[in-house]
């Protein structure tokens, strides 16, 4: 890495550029947007080092899908995901009184660190989580780190850490459409929406591939697709940190993969795919993930080798 450039448009976004290629790797947008879409910060556009965009923003099928964002689809009866809310037996309904929000409070750090010659850009942020009525339900400490920028291999990575603390006087119940009765729709948590060109993209896991990996568990999952308008592919890899689990009074909650390549490309390591996660008052839910953005159609062996060479 040769000195990432940071431009902060205060009150709006932080944009990070790789100087050797001149590519804007991403913008972190934290200004509030449409209420019905559950306002929250997000990364978009995210680009490969070749300059190709690998996220979508407000697509016509789900206007509330915005790049890469950390969210909650069912939270004690509220929807912080955005859009329609799934109700068992009735399907997805427009229930604006259930659509909450996540609000930016402050940045504690926006800086670049160097350790043994390796650079790491850090964005540390404080946020608050709210139901539609506006009360404080949770605090979040968020940390986004950019590292392993490698122009030779055409890849870069970010590590996303979110620590969410329950500020209510009663438990917070984290769920998903699947915990509320819809099969194979366990989405919640850190969610990536791929661009339209990634439909029918290749889904790759450590021991298998294809849409049947929906609801599975494993240390990593990837989707590769072919760009529109340019020759070439890109691969997006999600990986779990070893400590990703939440063990409370209701038991252990390791993540399961939500993944699709039709009718859209998307990945979410869901912390509440099959069962609700109960977060008691004052307790903290912490998740840490790595997201690798690579030019080219990486194979399983290449992904595994990359991750093995960069331990947590």
């Amino acid at each position: 890495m040769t000195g990432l450039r940071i431009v902060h448009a205060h009150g709006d976004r932080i944009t990070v550029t790789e100087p050797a290629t001149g590519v804007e790797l991403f913008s972190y947008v934290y200004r509030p947007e449409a209420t019905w879409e559950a306002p929250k910060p997000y990364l978009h556009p995210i680009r490969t080092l070749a300059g190709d965009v690998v996220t979508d923003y407000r697509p016509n099928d789900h206007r509330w899908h915005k790049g890469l964002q950390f969210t909650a689809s069912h939270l004690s009866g509220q929807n912080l995901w955005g859009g329609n809310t799934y109700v068992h037996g009735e399907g997805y309904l427009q229930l604006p009184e259930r659509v909450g929000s996540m609000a930016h409070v402050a940045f504690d750090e926006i800086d670049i660190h160097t350790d043994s010659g390796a650079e790491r850009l850090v964005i540390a942020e404080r946020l608050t989580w709210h139901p539609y009525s506006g009360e404080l339900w949770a605090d979040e400490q968020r940390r986004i780190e950019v590292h392993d920028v490698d122009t030779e291999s055409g890849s870069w990575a970010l590590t996303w850490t979110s620590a969410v603390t329950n500020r209510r006087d009663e438990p917070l119940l984290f769920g998903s459409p699947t915990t509320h009765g819809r099969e194979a729709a366990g989405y919640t948590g850190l969610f990536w929406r791929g661009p339209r060109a990634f439909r029918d993209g290749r889904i790759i896991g450590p021991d298998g591939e294809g849409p049947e990996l929906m609801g599975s568990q494993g240390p990593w999952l990837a989707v590769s697709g072919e760009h529109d308008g340019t020759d070439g592919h890109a691969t997006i890899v999600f990986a779990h940190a070893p400590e990703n689990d939440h063990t409370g009074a209701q038991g252990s909650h390791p993540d399961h993969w939500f993944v699709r390549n039709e009718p859209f490309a998307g990945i979410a390591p869901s912390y509440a795919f099959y069962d609700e996660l109960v977060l008691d008052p004052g307790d903290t839910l912490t998740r840490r993930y790595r997201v690798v953005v690579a030019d080219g159609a990486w194979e399983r062996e290449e992904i595994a080798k990359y991750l093995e060479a960069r331990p947590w």
Side-chain angles (χ1 to χ4, degrees), residues 17-102:
T17 300
E18 200 288 309
T21 60
V23 171
E24 291 185 357
L25 297 183
F26 63 84
S27 286
Y28 183 70
V29 183
Y30 63 94
R31 59 173 166 76
E33 294 189 354
T35 301
W36 180 69
E37 297 169 9
K40 67 184 72 67
Y42 60 87
L43 271 70
H44 176 80
I46 297 177
R47 294 183 175 88
T48 70
L49 286 172
D52 294 305
V53 175
V54 291
T55 49
D56 209 347
Y57 172 78
R58 301 193 74 244
N60 59 15
D61 52 9
H62 297 79
R63 295 295 189 195
W64 49 97
H65 287 185
K66 298 174 182 178
L68 180 69
Q69 53 186 350
F70 189 80
T71 180
S73 57
H74 288 254
L75 182 69
S76 295
Q78 290 284 296
N79 167 11
L80 275 65
W81 184 272
N84 296 337
T85 300
Y86 180 77
V87 178
H88 186 57
E90 300 181 64
Y92 286 94
L93 305 178
Q94 289 190 20
L95 300 172
E97 70 278 6
R98 295 195 188 184
V99 179
S101 62
M102 300 178 184

Side-chain angles (χ1 to χ4, degrees), residues 195-208:
R196 197 175 301 270
F198 273 52
R199 288 181 59 180
D200 298 320
R202 183 184 177 194
I203 301 170
I204 310 167
D207 302 306

Side-chain angles (χ1 to χ4, degrees), residues 7-288:
V7 175
H8 188 183
H10 290 269
D12 183 12
R13 68 188 62 207
I14 296 169
T15 300
V16 176
T17 300
E18 200 288 309
T21 60
V23 171
E24 291 185 357
L25 297 183
F26 63 84
S27 286
Y28 183 70
V29 183
Y30 63 94
R31 59 173 166 76
E33 294 189 354
T35 301
W36 180 69
E37 297 169 9
K40 67 184 72 67
Y42 60 87
L43 271 70
H44 176 80
I46 297 177
R47 294 183 175 88
T48 70
L49 286 172
D52 294 305
V53 175
V54 291
T55 49
D56 209 347
Y57 172 78
R58 301 193 74 244
N60 59 15
D61 52 9
H62 297 79
R63 295 295 189 195
W64 49 97
H65 287 185
K66 298 174 182 178
L68 180 69
Q69 53 186 350
F70 189 80
T71 180
S73 57
H74 288 254
L75 182 69
S76 295
Q78 290 284 296
N79 167 11
L80 275 65
W81 184 272
N84 296 337
T85 300
Y86 180 77
V87 178
H88 186 57
E90 300 181 64
Y92 286 94
L93 305 178
Q94 289 190 20
L95 300 172
E97 70 278 6
R98 295 195 188 184
V99 179
S101 62
M102 300 178 184
H104 166 78
V105 175
F107 290 110
D108 293 325
E109 182 180 6
I110 305 172
D111 204 355
I112 296 176
H113 301 266
T114 302
D115 182 18
S116 301
E119 293 181 351
R120 182 173 290 248
L121 181 147
V122 174
I123 300 172
E125 181 186 23
R126 282 176 282 135
L127 305 96
T128 51
W129 292 29
H130 307 272
Y132 176 79
S133 52
E135 301 99 313
L136 175 64
W137 272 17
D139 294 326
E140 180 189 344
Q141 297 282 341
R142 178 174 298 180
R143 186 178 178 91
I144 298 171
E145 303 173 67
V146 180
H147 51 92
D148 291 306
V149 178
D150 187 343
T151 56
E152 290 187 8
S153 68
S155 65
W156 63 278
L158 66 85
T159 296
W160 182 302
T161 306
S162 283
V164 182
T165 301
N166 181 3
R167 296 304 183 195
R168 301 182 78 191
D169 293 329
E170 57 187 278
L172 279 174
L173 307 180
F174 292 79
S176 67
T178 295
T179 67
H180 286 68
R182 186 186 175 209
E183 293 185 1
Y187 54 80
T188 196
L190 185 64
F191 175 63
W192 165 76
R193 170 67 190 249
R196 197 175 301 270
F198 273 52
R199 288 181 59 180
D200 298 320
R202 183 184 177 194
I203 301 170
I204 310 167
D207 302 306
E209 61 181 82
E212 62 269 21
L213 294 177
M214 172 74 82
S216 67
Q217 293 178 295
W220 59 265
L221 192 71
V223 172
S224 67
E226 185 174 6
H227 304 297
D228 285 335
T230 61
D231 293 327
H233 296 70
T235 303
I236 307 299
V237 183
F238 274 64
H240 291 291
E243 73 274 11
N244 273 4
D245 193 2
H246 177 79
T247 303
Q250 307 300 317
S252 179
H253 283 266
D255 290 0
H256 294 77
W257 292 110
F258 171 88
V259 61
R260 284 182 178 161
N261 61 359
E262 183 63 37
F264 61 82
I267 298 176
S270 171
Y271 46 69
F273 196 106
Y274 296 109
D275 302 295
E276 282 191 330
L277 186 154
V278 179
L279 189 66
D280 290 324
D283 283 0
T284 299
L285 169 67
T286 301
R287 284 293 189 272
R288 186 163 62 116

